[in-house]
Amino acid sequence: MAKARVAVLISGRGSNMAALVYAAKHPGCPFEIVLVAANDPEAPGLQFAQAEGIPTFALDHKGMKRAEFDALIDAQVRKAGTDYIALAGYMRLLSPEFVGKWEGRMLNIHPSLLPKYKGLHTHERAIAAGDTVAGCSVHVVTAELDDGPVLGQTEVAILPGDTPATLADRTLIAEHQLYSRELADYVTRESNPDWLLANIREIALALPETAEKPSHGSPGFFVEGGKFFAYFSHNHHQNGITGLLVKTSGVEEQAMLIDSDPALYYRPAYLGPSGWIGISLDQRPVDWAHVGEWLAKSWRMSAPKRLTKLLDVIDQI
Ligand code: GRF
């Protein structure tokens, strides 16, 4: 599989960026670093990146509007064919426009056990609070500072006599290991059947009165007291496909769908003759909104009138 292309944004030393660069040298690493960009042309990390033959881009943000500056960074990042952005000591708040464009595709490393100690001076605050453990977190970047979903953390013991500097030194060692591991997991999660199933499960079980039970070896989702409306299928009978099986209105709709997008839709074994459709989850990125629409549609075809009545009324208005 092609490696995920990662751009790293830095403001200074860049030791986390360096850790990502070295991790990416391992032949089995699922990502490569395609650009290192800085908002300070003097950032020492830039020299390291250049020495390692990684393209760099640096621009002083001073005097520029936040959104204007971010648009220039965005243009460079896109020119490099970036799939994901890793913030590594990037000390500049990002505009909502930039965060929106990279939603779900941008990670950050933060030197605390989030949600504790967002922002600056994390080690000082942990010591002052009398904590016995500090640590670091890798999280998805959202509009709120240091607030997105946490992907992973490493705890670091606070030793008697620790100063913010000694604690920061030890935490940095943990950061360097955590970041590359979490980034690797994140860029490969869509190829991980457990992750795909967890997402399907979350959407399916959010529909009214639904439950899960295995059926012929596949996780199945049904309306309580009623019928199955979805199955998660992973390499079923060695077909090599990870997919979601849902109901259509019948074999005609099924044929039309396969005709319209043969890479996305397929006719599943066994359930195919009854008009079920397979939706491939091997596509990148998975269109989760589309998956959600199909689950809701299939649920509606399987749920008792008592549950769908209101939806039928809304449709007629
Ligand atoms: C790290 O402690 C990181 O967690 C924080 O900023 C620091 C950057 O250090 N966001 P470096 O530039 O990666 O060496």
Side-chain angles (χ1 to χ4, degrees):
M1 193 177 285
K3 289 183 187 256
R5 298 172 64 82
V6 176
V8 187
L9 304 193
I10 62 167
S11 295
R13 179 177 58 181
S15 72
N16 275 288
M17 174 269 294
L20 294 179
V21 168
Y22 289 137
K25 288 190 180 195
H26 188 279
C29 183
F31 61 80
E32 60 184 316
I33 307 302
V34 294
L35 176 73
V36 172
N39 63 325
D40 174 2
E42 304 297 317
L46 289 169
Q47 277 180 21
F48 166 87
Q50 278 152 8
E52 289 291 346
I54 296 165
T56 57
F57 173 76
L59 182 66
D60 193 345
H61 66 262
K62 284 190 207 96
M64 286 182 81
K65 291 216 173 82
R66 195 175 300 284
E68 201 183 308
F69 180 80
D70 286 357
L72 292 175
I73 294 282
D74 183 61
Q76 292 297 321
V77 163
R78 281 177 200 276
K79 209 170 88 187
T82 301
D83 300 313
Y84 296 88
I85 293 179
L87 304 181
Y90 191 62
M91 300 303 285
R92 192 167 157 75
L93 291 177
L94 295 164
S95 60
E97 292 84 354
F98 188 85
V99 175
K101 279 185 197 153
W102 290 94
E103 194 188 339
R105 306 242 145 207
M106 180 157 56
L107 306 189
N108 181 40
I109 183 140
H110 183 74
S112 81
L113 296 173
L114 289 172
K116 271 185 151 183
Y117 313 127
K118 295 175 181 176
L120 297 174
H121 312 299
T122 55
H123 305 301
E124 204 174 312
R125 285 150 74 198
I127 293 170
D131 291 356
T132 52
V133 267
C136 52
S137 309
V138 170
H139 67 97
V140 180
V141 176
T142 54
E144 286 291 309
L145 180 71
D146 301 329
D147 194 57
V150 171
L151 300 173
Q153 297 184 314
T154 304
E155 290 189 352
V156 175
I158 300 182
L159 305 180
D162 252 341
T163 64
T166 57
L167 181 56
D169 284 349
R170 278 201 319 286
T171 306
L172 201 59
I173 300 172
E175 289 182 36
H176 294 165
Q177 302 189 31
L178 181 70
Y179 209 177
S180 58
R181 207 171 54 231
E182 293 303 333
L183 182 59
D185 280 359
Y186 197 72
V187 304
T188 49
R189 73 205 191 288
E190 286 187 342
S191 325
N192 178 348
D194 293 337
W195 185 82
L196 291 168
L197 172 58
N199 267 355
I200 297 282
R201 181 175 287 136
E202 195 178 322
I203 306 172
L205 297 183
L207 293 162
E209 297 187 25
T210 51
E212 176 181 349
K213 71 175 172 202
S215 168
H216 299 281
S218 296
F221 300 92
F222 63 99
V223 189
E224 279 180 80
K227 304 175 195 154
F228 277 97
F229 65 96
Y231 299 94
F232 175 78
S233 164
H234 174 59
N235 199 19
H236 200 235
H237 291 275
Q238 280 72 48
N239 68 357
I241 305 172
T242 303
L244 171 71
L245 312 188
V246 286
K247 279 182 185 171
T248 68
S249 56
V251 286
E252 274 168 31
E253 186 184 7
Q254 180 200 61
M256 209 184 68
L257 288 165
I258 297 170
D259 207 39
S260 71
D261 195 343
L264 179 64
Y265 295 109
Y266 64 97
R267 192 172 195 264
Y270 306 112
L271 290 172
S274 326
W276 285 63
I277 191 85
I279 303 169
S280 165
L281 298 171
D282 295 322
Q283 302 235 322
R284 300 289 168 268
V286 174
D287 184 345
W288 289 106
H290 186 246
V291 165
E293 280 163 25
W294 268 113
L295 282 167
K297 222 161 107 175
S298 190
W299 172 88
R300 202 168 155 182
M301 280 188 247
S302 319
K305 262 258 145 332
R306 171 176 67 80
L307 291 175
T308 59
K309 219 168 32 207
L310 198 63
L311 293 169
D312 296 340
V313 172
I314 294 169
D315 275 359
Q316 276 163 21
I317 297 172

